[in-house]
Each structure stands twice: as C-alpha cells, then as structure tokens.
Amino acid sequence: MAHVVTDKCQRCKFTDCVEVCPVACFYELDQQLVIHPEDCIDCTACVEVCPVEAIYAEASVPQEYQASIQFNSAEAQGAKTKTPFEFAVSSIRVLDGSTDGSRQLAQAIARMGQPLYQCQPPTGFPDRADHWMSNGAVVERLNFAVALSANRIPGTTVRIDDSMKSIALKLGSPEFQKR
Ligand code: SF4
Ligand code: SF4
C-alpha cells in the first residue's frame, strides 16, 4: 500500500509535503504532484502538512478520487531518472556483462556527474532528471554507451549480439534513462 495525491492538489503553491517526506518520493507533473507507489513508506508525514488535505492512504481514498490511485501509479512509474551509477550498472547488466569495478569505470561514472563517495550533502545524490540530464551529462552518457558497447572500458566486458550502433542507441534512449 502507499499514499496517494488526489486532484485536490492541482495548482497548489505549497509543497510542504515534499519537505517532510523522508524518502523523497514526490514527483512533479504539470498540474500537481504524485507519489511513487513503490517508494512511499506510509509514514503519513505529508498527510498532516498538506493544507488542502489532498493526500490519503490508498485504502482510504474517497470514492470521487479513486481515479487518482491509478493516476499516481501510472504517472509515477518511470518518473525517476537513473543516476550515473545506476545507468552504468543497468547498462552492463542488460548486455549480460561483468566488471571488476575498475578505476576506469569509476572515472566514467564521475564524468557523467557522479563521483563515487564524494557526495557533499548528507542527503546523498538527488534523483531528479534536471540534476543528471544537463546537455554535457547526456553527451557523457552517450560516450559511455559507445565505449561500453565497443568493450573499450578496461575491466568491464559485455556480450555483443546486436550491432554496436544499435546497442549504443538503446542505452542512450530516453526510456533507458528511467528507473
Ligand atoms: S501540500 Fe498537498 S496540495 Fe500542496 S503540493 Fe503537497 S500534496 Fe499537493
Ligand atoms: S506517507 Fe510518508 S513516505 Fe509516503 S509520500 Fe507521504 S511523507 Fe512520503
């Protein structure tokens, strides 16, 4: 079960809910926020601060807002962007590869914007798309995809069945950047 943001949230100017959520599971759409159903830990902190009482436990959503349950689920899925580390790991996995975690792999992840073990804020690296997907970072993701699919990262090997170009395009696609 998870908590659900209903239509009452539309065009709200307050985001108190985001500030109190201990697991950062709110996502912003054009008109309102939604909650990622797999990340919510049902702590109820957001319920208490929402000025328009827009948030309900899934089992307690009033009849007129039942559609919001599906809306939160459908919209929240895929809303998170993979961090560079997650992108690298999922790329290696999807190509049935293996790695010894070499310095060159860590350097490639750092070039994509996530120097491992060097995060300053105690809250850790964010997972918002705008943080990770600057133009320079996107180019570095494509460079990584090309290097990986060509088996040019020392200590890391992948199995190549398709053409290198099609693998690089797959890894560089917007869909593959989502969790
Ligand atoms: S405080 Fe309530 S109405 Fe405002 S953004 Fe959060 S859920 Fe929406
Ligand atoms: S119930 Fe807790 S974990 Fe779930 S969205 Fe609200 S503040 Fe976040």
Side-chain angles (χ1 to χ4, degrees):
M1 202 175 67
H3 275 65
V4 170
V5 183
T6 61
D7 298 358
K8 288 196 240 175
C9 169
Q10 290 198 359
R11 297 186 191 85
C12 173
K13 296 283 182 262
F14 307 97
T15 50
D16 310 38
C17 54
V18 177
E19 283 162 31
V20 299
C21 179
V23 292
C25 61
F26 280 92
Y27 296 93
E28 190 173 358
L29 304 182
D30 286 346
Q31 302 286 331
Q32 70 168 80
L33 303 189
V34 290
I35 292 172
H36 195 295
E38 289 170 14
D39 292 350
C40 174
I41 57 171
D42 289 321
C43 71
T44 75
C46 59
V47 178
E48 288 153 25
V49 298
C50 175
V52 296
E53 299 180 0
I55 307 170
Y56 295 86
E58 188 178 326
S60 309
V61 175
Q63 197 57 40
E64 66 266 38
Y65 297 117
Q66 282 290 311
S68 295
I69 298 174
Q70 184 61 31
F71 184 68
N72 276 244
S73 303
E75 293 294 335
Q77 289 296 335
K80 278 189 177 177
T81 298
K82 289 174 184 168
T83 64
F85 176 75
E86 291 167 335
F87 171 68
V89 170
S90 60
S91 298
I92 295 167
R93 276 194 186 143
V94 81
L95 296 178
D96 197 17
S98 62
T99 181
D100 61 5
S102 66
R103 187 166 47 88
Q104 289 88 345
L105 179 65
Q107 287 170 338
I109 294 170
R111 281 196 296 277
M112 291 188 278
Q114 190 178 18
L116 299 177
Y117 307 114
Q118 292 178 44
C119 181
Q120 299 294 329
T123 46
F125 288 110
D127 53 10
R128 299 186 320 274
D130 60 349
H131 182 84
W132 297 118
M133 302 305 281
S134 67
N135 288 346
V138 170
V139 169
E140 287 300 338
R141 286 193 184 216
L142 290 173
N143 289 341
F144 175 81
V146 170
L148 182 68
S149 54
N151 272 320
R152 285 204 321 254
I153 300 177
T156 301
T157 51
V158 296
R159 238 189 41 212
I160 313 265
D161 293 330
D162 298 326
S163 76
M164 200 184 93
K165 186 178 170 192
S166 69
I167 291 170
L169 285 174
K170 176 180 176 183
L171 298 184
S173 69
E175 297 74 29
F176 195 76
Q177 312 311 311
K178 302 291 183 189
R179 281 189 193 170

